[in-house]
Amino acid sequence: VGFQKILTLTYVDKLIDDVHKEFRDKYRNEFQQKGALGLLNGTFDFKDDFMRLLRDAEESSKVRAPTVMKTFEQSLKSQKTVKCMIETRGEKPKEKVKNKKNKGSKKDGTEAVAVPSKASAADKQPSAAGDKEELTKDEILQKNREEFFRRHMKAGEKSRSPKPDAQKEKGKKPRVWDLGNSNAKVLDYSNSATNGSAEACPVEEFDPDMALGDKNREPGRLYDLEYESDDEGEEEKVVQNPSKPSVKKGGLGGMFGMLKGLVGSKSLTRDDMDPVLEKMKDHLIAKNVAAEIAVQLCESVAKKLEGKVMGTFTTVTSTVKQALQEALVQILQPQRRVDVLRDVMDAQRHRRPYVVTFCGVNGVGKSTNLAKISFWLIENGFSVLIAACDTFRAGAVEQLRTHTRRLNALHPPESHGGRTMVQLYEKGYGKDAAGIAMEAISYARNQGFDVVLVDTAGRMQDNAPLMTALAKLIAVNAPDLVLFVGEALVGNEAVDQLVKFNKALADHSMAQTPRLIDGIVLTKFDTIDDKVGAAISMTYITSKPIVFVGTGQTYCDLRSLNAKAVVAALMKA
């Protein structure tokens, strides 16, 4: 007993505890009555009791089954979730400290639990009031360890239990759009009746103010672009010719020399205009005008002004600027003006639909601005059939279908005498675009639609096969209006796009007089502030008018080009 490590018996600890408690309970009264004298004079016959306790301990050790190692499911580690095993940067040092502290407590606790005793059951029975006072230090320490281990286990379960619930709450939730519908049936297009047909899409209810934007607008009116110039009162500096000697200061000679430069007796030369034209060229390029076109504009202004006598009290800068402004306004106002409403009414008199084809590079906003033009036509009383000829881009047909539902919600058949004002004609993906356009035009003629808007796939101007397909679509269907959709953000690229689109339509056309681009739709005009040079570049190259200007995301954000407003923004310092 003195050297427990020598005697390797499993019941030694249990035997010592039982002997200690049996001896204490048997001679408790004698100790309390006689005190210290009882220890010296008393006779303690404890041999039989000790042998009985020893036999009980030996028997219990034989009956006890050998310890079996726990399985993973029985261990505490199996109760942990994957999330609680992930260590974050902020929690890493704290967890390590806790684990180090708890390792010893867990071991001590398991040892204490692994050695149950019969005496612990006896302690639970009612005993005298002095029991607790006479507990040894080892018993107190053991109880404290058991309580600490029990509290630690409960705390661990509480901290781990909410983690799976929190993980479920953090799951992805569906986004609810402002114009959307939370009903899942509305978003399910798998069995849509409009796929591969020209039937009207179902009407969807939503807030019309969100789609229309301006509440004070006049229905059916196409407003002009507006721009206020705030540099009209700027004073122009007199640009002196560096090649000529300067007039001497003071005296009548200096005064008359200054007046002679202002009064209209001086003719402009190239040397006088070169410094001003160089600044004007850099200014145009900074406003997104293509560099090649900016040079050509300055050259044309120089040829026009060379040898011209300046007006009274005018400077070289103001004269050159005025001439450049007039040239820019003339560029933006071509000889032939496209009037879509007049042409649609003329087609109605001939009992045929008016066909408009949209083409352009990828991502410029063809489908969005097609929907805006559809809304404008509907508000003017014309019915529209949208031909989904973009059979390549994923989601192109669904995008047009959504626009058709929105437009039908804004203009329901009840408001137009039971007549559906907009429908979508589509045949799915991977089909011939020219064939779909031909079928859509024939359907519109039979059903009495006023306008057919043909949406085509975006293509780069260098892609020969796709440009050939576009030329085929235009040559076969002979639309009334071919609109090139370009964004206002481009600079030099606008020239390359328009030149190559026109060249591809001319080269791949089977007719003797090939059909080229008739007009331009300038999109994303609200994103460029006063850098409006793309409008100049596009009209200068094609000599075709800008028919529509897109200025936002709602159906009302469609404008007609105001040449003076664009030039004012372009000339702003």
Side-chain angles (χ1 to χ4, degrees), residues 380-399:
N380 282 280
F382 300 113
S383 58
V384 178
L385 179 67
I386 301 174
C389 295
D390 184 356
T391 61
F392 176 75
R393 177 172 64 91
V397 177
E398 286 77 10
Q399 181 182 2

Side-chain angles (χ1 to χ4, degrees), residues 362-390:
N362 308 75
V364 294
K366 291 185 295 299
S367 301
T368 302
N369 285 273
L370 180 146
K372 294 179 184 179
I373 295 171
S374 300
F375 177 77
W376 174 67
L377 290 170
I378 293 168
E379 289 210 324
N380 282 280
F382 300 113
S383 58
V384 178
L385 179 67
I386 301 174
C389 295
D390 184 356

Side-chain angles (χ1 to χ4, degrees), residues 151-335:
R151 286 197 304 268
H152 176 70
M153 289 298 296
K154 289 180 179 179
E157 291 175 359
K158 289 181 180 179
S159 62
R160 284 193 294 268
S161 58
K163 284 187 178 180
D165 297 334
Q167 193 173 2
K168 291 180 181 178
E169 292 177 359
K170 290 182 180 179
K172 186 175 180 181
K173 297 180 179 179
R175 182 171 183 176
V176 180
W177 297 92
D178 293 336
L179 301 181
N181 195 319
S182 59
N183 189 0
K185 295 181 179 179
V186 178
L187 302 177
D188 185 11
Y189 302 117
S190 57
N191 296 321
S192 177
T194 60
N195 190 18
S197 67
E199 296 179 4
C201 294
V203 177
E204 181 179 350
E205 296 181 359
F206 69 104
D207 186 10
D209 294 336
M210 296 294 293
L212 299 181
D214 187 9
K215 298 180 181 179
N216 300 322
R217 63 185 183 84
E218 182 182 343
R221 180 181 174 184
L222 194 63
Y223 290 88
D224 291 338
L225 281 174
E226 296 179 359
Y227 180 79
E228 296 180 0
S229 178
D230 54 357
D231 61 339
E232 294 176 356
E234 291 184 357
E235 296 182 356
E236 305 292 346
K237 296 181 180 179
V238 178
V239 180
Q240 296 181 350
N241 188 1
S243 62
K244 294 183 179 181
S246 61
V247 182
K248 294 182 180 180
K249 296 182 180 179
L252 295 176
M255 183 181 295
F256 283 113
M258 182 179 67
L259 292 174
K260 187 178 179 182
L262 294 175
V263 180
S265 62
K266 179 182 179 182
S267 60
L268 287 172
T269 63
R270 189 62 182 260
D271 294 333
D272 295 330
M273 294 183 291
D274 278 346
V276 181
L277 290 173
E278 188 66 27
K279 290 182 179 179
M280 289 293 179
K281 184 191 72 173
D282 295 340
H283 178 76
L284 292 175
I285 294 174
K287 289 298 181 78
N288 248 4
V289 179
E292 178 185 351
I293 294 174
V295 172
Q296 293 178 12
L297 282 171
C298 292
E299 286 292 328
S300 64
V301 170
K303 290 179 182 179
K304 181 180 179 181
L305 294 178
E306 192 171 3
K308 181 181 179 181
V309 178
M310 293 174 59
T312 305
F313 294 99
T314 57
T315 62
V316 177
T317 303
S318 61
T319 304
V320 172
K321 185 175 181 180
Q322 182 64 28
L324 184 59
Q325 284 180 341
E326 292 174 359
L328 292 173
V329 171
Q330 189 176 2
I331 289 171
L332 291 174
Q333 291 178 340
Q335 295 179 355

